[in-house]
Amino acid sequence: MTARILDGIKIRDEMFAELKGEVTQMTAQGIRPGLAAVLVGENPASQLYVKSKIAACEQLGLASWLHSPPANVTTEYMLQLVADLNNDDNVDGILVQLPLPSQVDSKRVLEAVFPAKDVDGFHPVSMGMLVSNRPGLVACTPAGCMEILRRNNINMEGANAVVLGRSDIVGKPMALLLLHANATVTICHSKSRDLPEITRRADILVAAIGRAGFVQADWIKAGASVIDVGTNKVTDATEANRLLANFPQRLEKFRAKGSVLIGDVHPDAVNTAGALTPVPGGVGPMTITMLMSNTVKAARLRRLYGRSQPAFVAR
Ligand code: GUN
């Protein structure tokens, strides 16, 4: 039997419709939520991400501002820019697109963002709030994975959840969110021993390691729910042939285009998992959706609980 496909595009569309209603209501009350994006330099991938984020704002009726300092920007300049955005009452969310150039102290810049405007959830205060299960803004990709699980009625309570990857942006917050949903959580990383043995116990498996097709189909328990966070661009024909041997149509597309997006989970997992997020079209669309959701939430809560309060209610 093939896995149920956990469609991120469908959930994005649902959530966009919900958010649009919320934004319309707020706008009628004279509140227009706004996102300020900071894009340093000319990294093509970052440019594409930020463009999509601004487009999403426009689609939902949010205000947006793009600041694009040059690649040789200093840490001091970035700190001043963030301070200006913190003090701008029209700005509800501040997004500093990563990675920043090596001469910029990224940690200092991220720490300068007011937690109440930290729509990426990367500030240590936001992370601390999550650790202690207090309300706050949560990193977009793991928050999106949770929406996928919830909206597909996948049981988390008492489930064995295994998270592959321990990054600050995905693995760690994901593990905490699952823990707060009462799952029994195991975090694995590059030094973990006997990975297949651990993943085979997972009722819920989240793969966020950035290696194409790393999780083999037989590492997955029959019927498990698998969330594949990876989006790896494969350009090598031998690798594409190995990963897509059972998917002639996708292989055909690879041959025409010269590249294909592959998750961290081997495509053959569709035959072992019970439910699976596709790549593309699974977790990917949820990241921007949660950024929009966080911006609307920040706009609402900043007005309720004060303009620079780090903490506020309701996750
Ligand atoms: N770079 C890669 N992913 C992200 C993200 O989610 N937020 C920001 N700000 N930068 C990123």
Side-chain angles (χ1 to χ4, degrees), residues 32-38 54 63-67 85 88 90-93:
R32 188 175 184 217
L35 176 71
V38 182
I54 302 273
S64 62
W65 301 269
L66 175 61
H67 296 267
L85 297 173
D88 184 338
N90 294 311
V91 172
D92 295 296

Side-chain angles (χ1 to χ4, degrees), residues 8-30:
I9 295 173
K10 183 171 151 246
I11 299 177
R12 175 196 63 193
D13 291 348
E14 262 170 42
M15 288 192 70
F16 265 40
E18 293 164 14
L19 286 167
K20 204 161 186 169
E22 209 171 330
V23 173
T24 307
Q25 256 184 9
M26 290 170 86
T27 310
Q29 295 161 6

Side-chain angles (χ1 to χ4, degrees), residues 110-162:
L110 294 182
E111 280 167 28
V113 174
F114 272 171
K117 297 191 178 190
D118 179 33
V119 285
D120 250 337
F122 294 167
H123 193 284
V125 165
S126 305
M127 294 202 199
M129 298 297 276
L130 175 60
V131 170
S132 54
N133 201 13
R134 288 179 166 91
L137 295 165
V138 177
C140 300
T141 301
C145 295
M146 292 301 283
E147 287 290 343
I148 293 176
L149 291 168
R150 271 193 222 108
R151 289 177 186 246
N152 284 288
N153 298 313
I154 291 166
N155 177 53
M156 290 180 266
E157 189 159 305
N160 285 331
V162 173

Side-chain angles (χ1 to χ4, degrees), residues 257-273:
K257 206 175 153 205
S259 69
V260 62
L261 279 186
I262 301 280
D264 290 346
V265 178
H266 197 293
D268 287 349
V270 76
N271 295 315
T272 43

